[in-house]
Amino acid sequence: MSRLIIRKVAVLGAGVMGAQIAAHCANAELPVLLFDLPAKEGEPSAIAARAIAGLRKLDPAPLAAKDRAQFIEPANYGSDLARLGECDLVIEAIAEKVEWKLDLYTKVAPYLKPGAVFASNTSGLSINALAAGMPAERRGRFCGIHFFNPPRYMALVELIATADSDPAMLDALEAWLTTGLGKGIVRAKDTPNFVANRVGVFSILAVMHHTTRLGLEFDEVDLLTGPRIGRPRSATYRTADVVGLDTLAHVIGTMQATLADDPWHPHFRVPDWLQALIAKGALGQKSGAGIYRKAGRQIQVLDLALQDYRDSGGEVFPDIEDILKLKDPVEKFAELAAHPHPQAQLLWSVFRDVFHYCAVHLGDIADNARELDLAMRWGFGWAQGPFETWQAAGWREVAAMIADDIAHGRAMAEVPLPAWVLARDGVHEAAGSFSAAANALKPRPALPVYDRQLYPDRVLGEAPEERGRTLWENAGVRLWCRPDQDARIGIASITSKMHAIGDEVMEGLLEAIARAEAELDGLVIWHQPPFAVGANLQQVAEACRAGEFELLERMVAKFQRTSMAIKHAQVPVVAAVQGMALGGGCEFAMHAAHRVFALESYVGLVEAGVGLIPAGGGSKEFALQAHALAQRAAGGDVFPYIQTAFQTISMATVAKSAREAVQLGFGRAGDDIVFHAAELPYVAIRRARALAEAGWRPPLRNPAVTVAGRNGIATCEMVLVNMAEGGFISAHDYRVAKAAATALCGGEVESGAAVSEDWILDVERAQFVALLKTEQTQQRIAHMLETGKPLRN
């Protein structure tokens, strides 16, 4: 398969989606031209420039680091179209009006680079109809690539071919989107709203229909249709607000206009109450009010009976709460269907109608059931796709209940279930997933890019994961390898809850490193996220209550010894980081020979939140960084570099991406950043192998680290005094921050003194244990364990 080389991207349309697609391309080290209409006055590209500036203010952040914005250049259709010839990929993301898109295609086509891919981000318009606007010789390089909002965080991209799309181009584009942008690709058929929006919007319509039928409230329904059933916290009506009520109405309108033959067509209408909200400009989150609004600190919800907003509340009926807590999905669904309470009936009715809809339309909209299920997981954040949920609940039993409801007029449509439903026991098997169009099981796509995903997202009923060969394990760590990848690169996986670092984890890592030195060529620390949430606070709290501070000091010393074993191992140790790497988890990663980060890695030394400082070598590593930077700078003063680290540690700053982690000093400029997290172990194993083949040797312990000493501590204290006098920090905040400064500056020594790494570790440890002995730190630890939130005392 030929490789698609993308050196530069253009995005046409600087609206919400276009600007964020541009941002994610910039995250991937791609220069981007962001086009929009020429401004009527002033700078011609002002519209696109404002959109780029606005990216820095969005939450969640579309930019993996704020400096990414500099790689997006504003442009306009009036004077810059010739610059499209610089771009290998052009993505159109203007408003969902066919005539506007076709007019734009006519204007841009003459300027496209030969061989460039041109793609539309339409959320549901016909790709073949849009292709008609391209010159015949360009149509082979045209397709749909539908991103989901927000593009950085939502995994799904629907890839839609036209009748003329070059199959080799589509395969190469799928591979590039997967590895280059970290996307999960679903090949959608050219039907209205494609796969995820077709099912997702139908699900919203079903919820709205049954909410009205059963007389339930919006906030009550959101309590039912969120995390309790494996859906996002925004549930149904909050999701509508986030998407935009006008956008939702547009998608419903597309279904109404283009799906006249759909058996559910009578339900493809915007409810009167929703039309009324849109008419008065209450469009949801973007306008400040929709189904919900914020009044001061209070969230209010629209009450149709009152024709006004009221404080949001609602509750789940106790019987229904008990049913939803049942572990057995077969029992859960049977009880929901049988229970007379309106809340139970809403849930059963919505599941039933979504199952029914997906079964009838599977052959029309998706290649197979796996594609549909993954589309809903990746695009709408569902924990399981509809077919997975149905299969887990008992395929034949649920099918019989659906058929009975259809026969008795209780379902939203009277169309019978397809014959294939009643002939099967499910849609997902080890051999593949059912394709209604082909009436056969379809295996996973065979593109070479998927060989890089050692642990891809799997659907229920699919073949189990490859567990590899276990080499050794204890209660906290499993040492294993994947002989099919590299039998001499070990993988150390932390197995404790949330991968918290307790004694059993430290013991396990020390043993894994010793075994790797004796028997292997390299070691990767990897497991499913989070990477590690820090020290086991429960063990720390119990030792504090027992007054076992000598035991705690030994525990901290062991933590430091483990970090140093990672750093000075006789084989390269690679940390493969995804998700949270906090506190001690961050320190372990900092000590590795190399880090392979997933882009969505949230890394930080957060010990200040529980009244402590980094003492697993994190403070020492920042002191070493300052020393190295000062050695290269004129004057050799370490304090300017310590100052930044002091702020990072005392504020418990957490990097919001791998790029920020490197910028903050938790990683290094040469570390790898992988956009698709499923490729993380594949890349890390090969990085460890490359280091081993290059003759990797551990760094020598530095016996002469220049530190900031007393003057550095005093300078940090000046900042703290001002903050304390202004009431910004408490007395204990002051004490914790001074302890951090003391560790970073190498203790009470002369400024510019040279000390050993072990000296700094001793200072770290002494400051850490001294804080543990304080009542305020013990209160902070207890509060964190009880509530999961930091305490200010």
Side-chain angles (χ1 to χ4, degrees):
M1 185 184 80
S2 61
R3 183 183 175 201
L4 185 66
I5 298 175
I6 307 292
R7 294 185 176 89
K8 192 168 190 174
V9 175
V11 178
L12 310 181
V16 173
M17 280 300 288
Q20 292 197 63
I21 292 168
H24 197 52
C25 290
N27 291 339
E29 303 281 15
L30 286 163
V32 185
L33 289 174
L34 180 60
F35 280 81
D36 212 294
L37 296 167
K40 293 179 180 176
E41 55 185 36
E43 171 59 41
S45 299
I47 294 173
R50 282 196 297 273
I52 295 166
L55 291 169
R56 294 183 174 92
K57 303 171 186 174
L58 292 179
D59 186 25
L63 297 166
K66 289 186 178 178
D67 69 348
R68 298 290 98 190
Q70 69 184 309
F71 301 111
I72 310 172
E73 188 177 351
N76 70 85
Y77 305 129
S79 58
D80 297 323
L81 287 179
R83 297 197 62 192
L84 289 172
E86 303 168 15
C87 302
D88 304 294
L89 172 64
V90 179
I91 302 171
E92 171 270 303
I94 69 170
E96 290 289 272
K97 291 186 180 293
V98 172
E99 62 275 18
W100 291 7
K101 291 178 185 287
L102 293 178
D103 180 62
L104 181 63
Y105 294 1
T106 301
K107 290 176 181 175
V108 304
Y111 299 97
L112 295 175
K113 182 179 184 178
V117 174
F118 187 85
S120 175
N121 182 56
T122 178
S123 60
L125 299 177
S126 169
I127 294 296
N128 279 287
L130 294 178
M134 297 297 293
E137 67 274 13
R138 288 273 181 195
R139 292 176 190 168
R141 307 290 286 178
F142 179 79
C143 64
I145 53 173
H146 178 213
F147 291 81
F148 278 68
N149 192 21
R152 171 182 163 187
Y153 301 95
M154 299 307 291
L156 180 62
V157 165
E158 292 173 320
L159 187 59
I160 312 102
T162 72
D164 298 310
S165 296
D166 176 8
M169 180 274 293
L170 291 170
D171 288 350
L173 183 58
E174 178 169 352
W176 181 82
L177 288 165
T178 300
T179 293
L181 294 186
K183 294 304 167 188
I185 306 301
V186 165
R187 295 280 186 111
K189 298 185 178 182
D190 189 16
T191 55
N193 295 340
F194 311 129
V195 181
N197 276 346
R198 180 80 173 267
V199 174
V201 173
F202 174 78
S203 177
I204 291 172
L205 286 169
V207 172
M208 289 178 173
H209 170 76
H210 294 299
T211 299
T212 302
R213 179 178 69 83
L214 294 163
L216 298 173
E217 302 290 342
F218 296 143
D219 51 347
E220 177 184 12
V221 170
D222 272 355
L223 285 174
L224 293 165
T225 59
R228 285 178 172 84
I229 62 167
R231 306 284 166 81
R233 289 174 58 190
S234 55
T236 302
Y237 293 105
R238 287 184 190 276
T239 294
D241 269 355
V242 171
V243 168
L245 302 185
D246 54 338
T247 303
L248 177 62
H250 174 79
V251 176
I252 295 169
T254 299
M255 295 173 76
Q256 188 177 44
T258 57
L259 295 169
D261 295 333
D262 192 304
W264 285 266
H265 186 265
H267 297 286
F268 299 163
R269 55 178 296 276
V270 180
D272 292 340
W273 59 265
L274 185 54
Q275 290 277 30
L277 285 173
I278 295 169
K280 67 179 186 180
L283 305 179
Q285 184 172 283
K286 62 187 173 186
S287 68
I291 299 167
Y292 291 90
R293 73 178 185 187
K294 198 168 184 180
R297 294 189 176 183
Q298 181 63 46
I299 302 296
Q300 295 188 323
V301 64
L302 181 66
D303 188 313
L304 294 182
L306 297 174
Q307 288 293 296
D308 201 357
Y309 290 90
R310 60 166 173 79
D311 289 349
S312 176
E315 61 181 23
V316 176
F317 188 65
D319 280 8
I320 311 309
E321 192 76 87
D322 290 342
I323 292 172
L324 292 175
K325 289 178 180 176
L326 292 171
K327 300 295 184 186
D328 181 3
V330 175
E331 183 183 4
K332 182 186 300 184
F333 271 80
E335 293 207 17
L336 282 176
H339 202 289
H341 194 279
Q343 291 183 357
Q345 286 306 297
L346 175 121
L347 289 173
W348 162 246
S349 298
V350 169
F351 275 117
R352 174 200 64 211
D353 291 326
V354 170
F355 294 164
H356 186 191
Y357 191 81
C358 290
V360 168
H361 288 299
L362 174 59
D364 304 332
I365 66 174
D367 181 68
N368 59 71
R370 179 182 54 255
E371 300 280 277
L372 190 150
D373 277 347
L374 290 176
M376 298 316 298
R377 283 162 56 173
W378 293 339
F380 274 72
W382 292 10
Q384 285 187 319
F387 286 122
E388 290 180 283
T389 306
W390 181 353
Q391 188 164 323
W395 185 268
R396 288 188 178 274
E397 295 86 347
V398 171
M401 291 192 292
I402 296 171
D404 186 66
D405 279 3
I406 295 168
H408 290 88
R410 293 188 288 267
M412 286 173 68
E414 295 181 1
V415 60
L417 285 169
W420 66 261
V421 171
L422 305 175
R424 301 188 60 81
D425 292 318
V427 290
H428 301 305
E429 300 179 19
S433 294
F434 183 71
S435 167
N439 193 31
L441 294 175
K442 289 285 190 79
R444 281 185 168 268
L447 293 179
V449 68
Y450 295 115
D451 294 339
R452 297 168 57 87
Q453 297 185 13
L454 304 187
Y455 296 96
D457 284 343
R458 294 181 182 274
V459 291
L460 183 82
E462 198 173 356
E465 290 184 339
E466 166 63 57
R467 275 188 49 82
R469 181 197 301 158
T470 298
L471 305 175
W472 176 86
E473 63 184 320
N474 72 347
V477 171
R478 176 185 176 227
L479 175 64
W480 56 292
C481 69
R482 280 284 300 258
D484 60 325
Q485 300 296 314
D486 193 325
R488 292 191 58 80
I489 300 296
I491 303 171
S493 296
I494 298 175
T495 56
S496 59
K497 184 178 180 181
M498 291 295 287
H499 306 138
I501 302 166
D503 187 68
E504 70 287 356
V505 171
M506 292 184 282
E507 197 63 49
L509 285 174
L510 289 168
E511 179 65 21
I513 291 166
R515 287 174 177 263
E517 289 176 327
E519 303 165 9
L520 302 170
D521 297 334
L523 185 66
V524 171
I525 301 175
W526 175 80
H527 33 259
Q528 296 291 354
F531 181 74
V533 295
N536 187 326
L537 284 181
Q538 190 65 51
Q539 289 182 3
V540 173
E542 288 170 2
C544 284
R545 283 194 295 271
E548 296 178 333
F549 294 105
E550 288 185 7
L551 171 65
L552 285 167
E553 180 156 9
R554 291 196 299 273
M555 186 185 298
V556 178
K558 189 172 190 177
F559 211 121
Q560 294 177 332
R561 194 164 71 252
T562 307
S563 292
M564 295 298 272
I566 291 170
K567 183 171 184 175
H568 297 287
Q570 296 302 303
V571 293
V573 178
V574 174
V577 181
Q578 179 191 358
M580 293 184 293
L582 304 177
C586 175
E587 290 175 296
F588 282 174
M590 289 175 74
H591 283 81
H594 193 90
R595 282 142 299 279
V596 179
F597 288 109
L599 178 69
E600 299 309 328
S601 297
Y602 311 110
V603 187
L605 296 172
V606 296
E607 289 85 352
V610 289
L612 294 168
I613 67 166
S619 302
K620 179 263 301 175
E621 284 298 298
F622 272 123
L624 286 174
Q625 287 180 28
H627 167 79
L629 290 166
Q631 293 288 97
R632 295 196 291 269
D637 184 6
V638 297
F639 185 72
Y641 308 105
I642 287 294
Q643 202 165 19
T644 303
F646 172 65
Q647 184 176 355
T648 299
I649 290 174
S650 60
M651 299 293 289
T653 303
V654 175
K656 295 183 175 65
S657 73
R659 295 214 182 280
E660 277 196 4
V662 172
Q663 290 176 355
L664 288 169
F666 302 132
R668 299 188 197 122
D671 289 338
D672 301 305
I673 297 177
V674 173
F675 273 59
H676 203 302
E679 296 181 354
L680 198 62
Y682 175 94
V683 175
I685 288 168
R686 280 151 184 79
R687 175 59 70 183
R689 168 53 61 196
L691 289 169
E693 292 299 317
W696 184 87
R697 291 290 304 152
L700 297 171
R701 293 194 182 213
N702 193 331
V705 182
T706 304
V707 293
R710 294 188 189 92
N711 288 351
I713 298 169
T715 306
C716 291
E717 270 202 276
M718 288 170 59
V719 177
L720 298 177
V721 167
N722 291 334
M723 293 183 72
E725 288 178 351
F728 297 108
I729 61 173
S730 68
H732 196 59
D733 291 331
Y734 187 112
R735 180 171 183 171
V736 172
K738 184 180 178 183
T742 302
L744 285 168
C745 294
E748 295 285 349
V749 297
E750 291 298 322
S751 297
V755 301
S756 68
E757 290 187 48
D758 288 336
W759 171 276
I760 304 173
L761 288 172
D762 290 344
V763 175
E764 267 188 6
R765 188 169 66 254
Q767 294 296 322
F768 185 93
V769 175
L771 288 169
L772 274 178
K773 293 177 179 178
T774 65
E775 182 182 1
Q776 293 91 338
T777 287
Q778 291 177 25
Q779 289 170 346
R780 290 188 182 191
I781 291 171
H783 190 267
M784 180 64 75
L785 287 169
E786 290 168 12
T787 69
K789 296 177 181 178
L791 171 69
R792 284 291 306 280
N793 61 349

